[in-house]
Amino acid sequence: MKKSIVVPAVLMVSVFVVGTSEYLIAGLLPQVAADLRVSVPTAGQAVTAYALGVVIGGPLVTILTVRLPRKGLALGLLLLFSAGNAICALAGSYELLIAGRVVASLSHAAFLTLALLLVTRVVEPRRAGTAIAAVGSGFSVATLLGVPVGVLLGEGAGWRAPFAVLAVLTLVVAGLLAAVLPRQDAPATGVRAELRTVVRPRVLLVIATTAVGLAATSTVFTYLAPALTGITGFTPAAVSILLLVYGAGSLAGGLIAGRLADRSLAVTVRGTFAGLAVVLMIFPFALPWQASAVLAVLAFGLLTSATTPVLQSLVLRHAGDAPTLAVSVNVCAFNIGIAAGSALGGGLVAVDGLRWLGFAAAALSLAALAISYAAVPRRTPVPVSASRLVRGG
């Protein structure tokens, strides 16, 4: 089989495992709280601890490992991730659970960054957007399949069981990656080159676009289930099915956007945020009726995940020969945007603004659109070759 097919597939599965671990804990909080004898809000700090580990640890780990051979680093990060999940599976105390989450999170941003860069090594430069979307689709599959299955396993066999399974799956994926990934030499660029790249104006603009754009989607998505039950009148079981619809839309949207980004990155970036703004503005008016709410959720899913491949492709275009830290910081910007959007949505919900979250989110999407005009030049730079990307990261 061609490595241009096998390597992206294995990397996608790796991202699926990482994404499942990140979101799984949220569905198991009641069981974790009861077993470890803490409150549900306290157990929820396991989510916060992971997010902070990604945002703070991601760039730090990336800087510390920037001169290491790429294949060895990828395998080492997966082993660290497996160890973190194993600690969670064996945790007999709340403190040990938090420690396991932090250990796993330290490899999250660095591995995702590496996966996005490695996949460009085995495809033609003109197909970089499609390849990035394929690898990134692992997160959509994690939301669509991995998390629900993990929660069901946790409910039946105890909350530690899915973490133990993830620890083993990570080792299996590491073995597959060791078999299919070609040896990658240490990058020629150093920390100074990476730091110079990440502070380039256009790179910073892309990172800002990412943070604001993800804040837009998170403002609505965080409170999507309460809105669908409280305003639309769906039952909790129906909401679960609708979240599958959202996940299916996300998977399709990411893959479609990746292909479009290969044709015209500027048009895809702007079209994504413009379309997202329109859907979000319509959202408050679609919620009272079930048929229109279903369509709105599907369109929302399609456009939400479309942001990921286009923004990562944009970072790669602007980063040149030293993209590693820039991509890592952009991964962190996704998490910062998600946290900010959740906080904004929570504040609006507290003042009875649940139905009208779409308006605030649409304003953020328009802001991301405005920033993207500065981030994307009229003539987008020609993609650097796959080999240059790997040497740079």
Side-chain angles (χ1 to χ4, degrees), residues 109-243:
F111 180 77
L112 181 56
T113 298
L114 198 55
L116 294 175
L117 293 173
L118 287 173
V119 76
T120 63
R121 174 66 177 83
V122 295
V123 299
E124 298 175 14
R126 62 184 179 84
R127 293 179 56 82
T130 302
I132 290 171
V135 172
S137 69
F139 274 111
S140 297
V141 179
T143 304
L144 182 65
L145 181 63
V147 173
V149 171
V151 171
L152 285 175
L153 177 61
E155 291 174 348
W159 66 267
R160 292 179 176 81
F163 287 103
V165 171
L166 286 172
V168 174
L169 280 178
T170 306
L171 293 178
V172 173
V173 170
L176 290 174
L177 200 59
V180 303
L181 186 65
R183 184 178 179 275
Q184 307 289 340
D185 295 329
T189 56
V191 174
R192 289 184 181 180
E194 296 286 344
L195 290 172
R196 284 195 299 268
T197 295
V198 84
V199 296
R200 289 178 184 172
R202 288 200 188 279
V203 172
L204 291 176
L205 285 169
V206 177
I207 292 169
T209 303
T210 297
V212 176
L214 267 291
T217 60
S218 180
T219 298
V220 170
F221 179 73
T222 304
Y223 300 95
L224 185 58
L228 292 172
T229 54
I231 297 172
T232 314
F234 282 112
T235 64
V239 169
S240 298
I241 295 173
L242 278 176
L243 291 178

Side-chain angles (χ1 to χ4, degrees), residues 319-357:
D321 285 339
T324 309
L325 183 59
V327 174
S328 178
V329 172
N330 203 44
V331 170
C332 295
F334 278 91
N335 287 272
I336 292 171
I338 290 170
S342 298
L344 173 61
L348 294 173
V349 170
V351 294
D352 296 324
L354 179 62
R355 178 178 174 181
W356 311 107
L357 291 178

Side-chain angles (χ1 to χ4, degrees), residues 85-97:
N85 281 284
I87 292 171
C88 292
L90 298 172
S93 67
Y94 172 73
E95 292 76 14
L96 196 55
L97 172 65

Side-chain angles (χ1 to χ4, degrees), residues 257-339:
R259 288 186 176 273
L260 293 176
D262 287 334
R263 296 182 180 181
S264 177
L265 186 53
V267 172
T268 306
V269 169
R270 292 164 186 164
T272 297
F273 283 115
L276 187 60
V278 171
V279 170
L280 290 169
M281 281 189 282
I282 294 173
F283 224 87
F285 304 106
L287 280 174
W289 295 275
Q290 292 188 350
S292 58
V294 171
L295 292 176
V297 168
L298 178 59
F300 181 48
L302 281 165
L303 290 165
T304 296
S305 66
T307 60
T308 302
V310 296
L311 290 169
Q312 294 292 18
S313 296
L314 194 54
V315 167
L316 288 173
R317 294 279 180 98
H318 291 321
D321 285 339
T324 309
L325 183 59
V327 174
S328 178
V329 172
N330 203 44
V331 170
C332 295
F334 278 91
N335 287 272
I336 292 171
I338 290 170

Side-chain angles (χ1 to χ4, degrees), residues 357-374:
L357 291 178
F359 289 155
L364 287 171
S365 187
L366 289 173
L369 175 63
I371 300 170
S372 75
Y373 270 88

